[in-house]
Amino acid sequence: EVQLLDSGGDLVQPGGSLRLSCAASGFTFSTYGMSWVRQAPGKGLEWVSSISPSGGGTYYADSVKGRFTISRDNSMNTLYLQTNSLGADDTAVYYCATGYRSVGGYWGQGTLVTVSS
Amino acid sequence: DVVMTQSPLSLPVTLGQPASISCTSSLSLVHSDGNTYLNWFQQRPGQSPRRLVYKVSNRDSGVPDRFSGSGSGTDFTLKISRVEAEDVGVYYCMQGTHWPRTFGQGTKVEIK
């Protein structure tokens, strides 16, 4: 059974940082592109970032470029999102998902990032 | 960026009746590899999104056959042949052809 377990969300002050993780199981992680998608409270879905299966290709939304870094550890079957210089607009549930073209065959349960003083 | 425009944004439907959601992209979604990366998602209240359809018309495993996707180029449609109570939620289209990936605004399906 495919499982994606998101973690790392927390309450953080403006300007702070968090590292989000997504632990994958039940499929050959190293052969899948992966993505992060977020959803602000009461809002729609927003694509944040994607990474190729090898990790050699990374892609970002303009709203996070230069502040967020996506990475993966294929030996640990884990996807990461390092988030820096967080602002109120980054408050959202962050989901990891499989794929980076046909995104979203599988989704994590989401992890909540709240940016507030 | 490719803008994905859904209509309607709110869709009250009667149980057992059909429903249709339109999604239009500002740029053709035909990729240089020949595929069209247009996906449809359902998000039930309080749940993670779930993909229903990928590459325009391919239903994901476990998705009821009352859901169908169609379209080409810039115009796409998700149809529900007979709406059931469990279909209540928000539906999103998303393009996976161009960077950055972009979602439609979402269509809220509710029962009349």
Side-chain angles (χ1 to χ4, degrees):
Chain A
E1 179 192 2
V2 172
Q3 287 196 339
L4 297 174
L5 186 61
D6 300 319
S7 63
D10 205 347
L11 171 62
V12 61
Q13 292 190 339
S17 300
L18 282 174
R19 188 175 83 155
L20 309 183
S21 299
C22 169
S25 60
F27 65 104
T28 307
F29 180 72
S30 61
T31 66
Y32 277 72
M34 296 293 294
S35 297
W36 289 97
V37 174
R38 69 183 180 183
Q39 187 169 37
K43 302 296 185 183
L45 300 173
E46 179 189 14
W47 173 80
V48 172
S49 182
S50 295
I51 189 167
S52 64
S54 67
T58 57
Y59 311 87
Y60 298 94
D62 285 347
S63 58
V64 307
K65 200 172 294 183
R67 300 187 299 122
F68 290 13
T69 302
I70 191 171
S71 62
R72 64 191 298 159
D73 184 337
N74 285 344
S75 68
M76 297 289 290
N77 291 345
T78 304
L79 175 73
Y80 301 101
L81 186 69
Q82 177 67 42
T83 68
N84 298 329
S85 303
L86 287 164
D89 288 349
D90 297 314
T91 294
V93 174
Y94 286 72
Y95 298 99
C96 72
T98 54
Y100 65 146
R101 289 197 199 288
S102 292
V103 173
Y106 297 96
W107 292 73
Q109 84 286 3
T111 187
L112 176 61
V113 172
T114 303
V115 184
S116 175
S117 55
Chain B
D1 297 1
V2 176
V3 177
M4 305 296 289
T5 303
Q6 290 183 227
S7 65
L9 299 185
S10 178
L11 184 55
V13 295
T14 301
L15 289 173
Q17 293 300 302
S20 180
I21 301 169
S22 171
C23 176
T24 300
S25 59
S26 61
L27 203 59
S28 173
L29 298 186
V30 180
H31 193 271
S32 56
D33 66 9
N35 290 305
T36 300
Y37 294 99
L38 187 282
N39 307 312
W40 288 98
F41 300 91
Q42 174 195 63
Q43 189 175 30
R44 293 172 173 149
Q47 295 187 11
S48 298
R50 168 198 185 194
R51 195 177 67 191
L52 301 175
V53 170
Y54 63 97
K55 289 194 286 185
V56 181
S57 59
N58 296 277
R59 250 191 322 272
D60 274 277
S61 176
V63 173
D65 61 7
R66 65 178 180 275
F67 290 94
S68 64
S70 63
S72 63
T74 61
D75 292 292
F76 305 92
T77 302
L78 177 71
K79 292 182 179 176
I80 311 173
S81 59
R82 294 173 305 279
V83 172
E84 298 189 5
E86 66 179 16
D87 300 336
V88 165
V90 182
Y91 292 76
Y92 299 90
C93 60
M94 177 203 175
Q95 64 84 16
T97 296
H98 303 284
W99 298 107
R101 307 309 193 212
T102 44
F103 285 91
Q105 317 97 300
T107 295
K108 187 172 185 178
V109 172
E110 58 185 12
I111 304 301
K112 279 183 186 176

